[in-house]
Amino acid sequence: MNRRYSGIGMTSQRTRGRLIERLREQGIQDEVVLAAMNAVPRHIFVDEALASRAYDDVSLPLGFGQTISQPYTVARMIEILRDGRPLKRVLEIGTGCGYQAAVLAQVAEEVYSVERVQPLYERAAEYLKELQAHNVTLRYADGNMGLPEVAPFDGIIMAAAATHVPPTLLKQLAVGGRMVLPLGAQEQYLCLIERDAQGYRETRLETVKFVPLLMGKA
Ligand code: SAH
């Protein structure tokens, strides 16, 4: 394991352990999610200048006006997505630096993640290769379209806020599947969508703050 990977001082396993304790205190209960968060070194996804803050529970700038999500939010969304069950095929919209995709890779058999900003997509691909996250497939594309050639997904997670649920993504959700997304513009909240044989059920959860879902590739 190289130095960048294992980390020193503020980026060490012990620092990550403290983050896990904080997530527990904040109410994350799913042990599978906590173990996944513990396994993924967040500092490799942020600029070296910010690495010492990688385990603070805050969002950090990624460049291109985007941010790496707050650890609590990543843990919470994956906890909702899992609902205590193993996940087979998951789609993430908004790869960003790839951190959440790396955490998802620990809890799902196959992860597909779509990013519309090419340099972010390329950098995430490098980071995930370095982490040997072989079950993650990245695509440079507009996430509004989903990935029809791979669908259906038993989990869909969006890392950017939509003003309405993209209908194309609803169609790509498997029966029995769950989708978690931030909804709204100024005021945003987490929305859970569950699909069963009868249709879709929507549940409004806590308020959140995400960058907006944009249209097309950049
Ligand atoms: N998942 C990241 C957070 C990324 S921030 C993490 O682990 O920290 C949200 C990302 O969504 C940004 O990188 C942004 O470029 C991307 N995004 C916004 N609209 C999109 C779209 N239509 N398709 C794909 N990606 C999109």
Side-chain angles (χ1 to χ4, degrees):
M1 199 186 281
N2 65 33
R3 205 171 108 104
R4 174 164 144 79
Y5 191 92
S6 60
I8 46 164
M10 289 305 284
T11 58
S12 69
Q13 177 66 51
R14 193 161 2 125
T15 315
R16 210 177 312 151
R18 283 200 290 272
L19 169 65
I20 303 310
E21 283 320 305
R22 278 203 306 278
L23 293 175
R24 253 185 231 286
E25 283 161 20
Q26 289 171 291
I28 304 298
Q29 292 181 350
D30 186 334
E31 290 299 329
V32 173
V33 173
L34 290 166
M37 299 288 294
N38 196 38
V40 178
R42 189 170 184 254
H43 65 271
I44 78 151
F45 293 91
V46 301
D47 272 358
E48 253 164 76
L50 291 170
S52 68
R53 301 197 58 203
Y55 298 102
D56 293 352
D57 193 18
V58 292
S59 60
L60 293 169
L62 276 183
F64 308 96
Q66 303 302 327
T67 53
I68 174 169
S69 300
Q70 191 186 354
Y72 171 77
T73 309
V74 171
R76 177 78 179 122
M77 287 178 83
I78 299 178
E79 182 173 66
I80 297 165
L81 193 73
R82 252 181 52 83
D83 194 31
R85 299 175 308 177
L87 290 164
K88 270 187 66 135
R89 187 176 294 169
V90 171
L91 173 66
E92 177 192 37
I93 308 298
T95 314
C97 61
Y99 172 67
Q100 177 163 272
V103 179
L104 283 168
Q106 300 280 326
V107 308
E109 278 175 37
E110 297 166 40
V111 178
Y112 293 82
S113 183
V114 180
E115 172 58 55
R116 69 182 287 279
V117 178
Q118 191 162 20
L120 287 177
Y121 155 80
E122 283 166 3
R123 197 167 60 182
E126 262 173 52
Y127 290 159
L128 291 166
K129 194 170 159 204
E130 193 175 336
L131 276 184
Q132 303 192 336
H134 298 303
N135 57 339
V136 182
T137 306
L138 300 185
R139 293 280 169 83
Y140 166 51
D142 178 2
N144 285 290
M145 304 294 123
L147 286 178
E149 67 278 23
V150 186
F153 298 95
D154 57 347
I156 299 180
I157 193 160
M158 284 180 49
T163 50
H164 65 279
V165 189
T168 314
L169 295 182
L170 284 180
K171 281 198 218 111
Q172 294 180 21
L173 189 64
V175 173
R178 292 162 77 86
M179 176 167 169
V180 184
L181 72 158
L183 263 190
Q186 292 305 319
E187 304 266 294
Q188 299 172 6
Y189 60 91
L190 273 189
C191 176
L192 164 68
I193 294 169
E194 295 163 278
R195 181 173 191 183
D196 63 21
Q198 275 72 50
Y200 299 88
R201 191 174 57 205
E202 204 175 305
T203 312
R204 190 180 171 136
L205 305 165
E206 63 258 37
T207 56
V208 283
K209 188 85 195 111
F210 277 81
V211 297
L213 182 77
L214 300 174
M215 296 296 291
K217 291 204 273 186

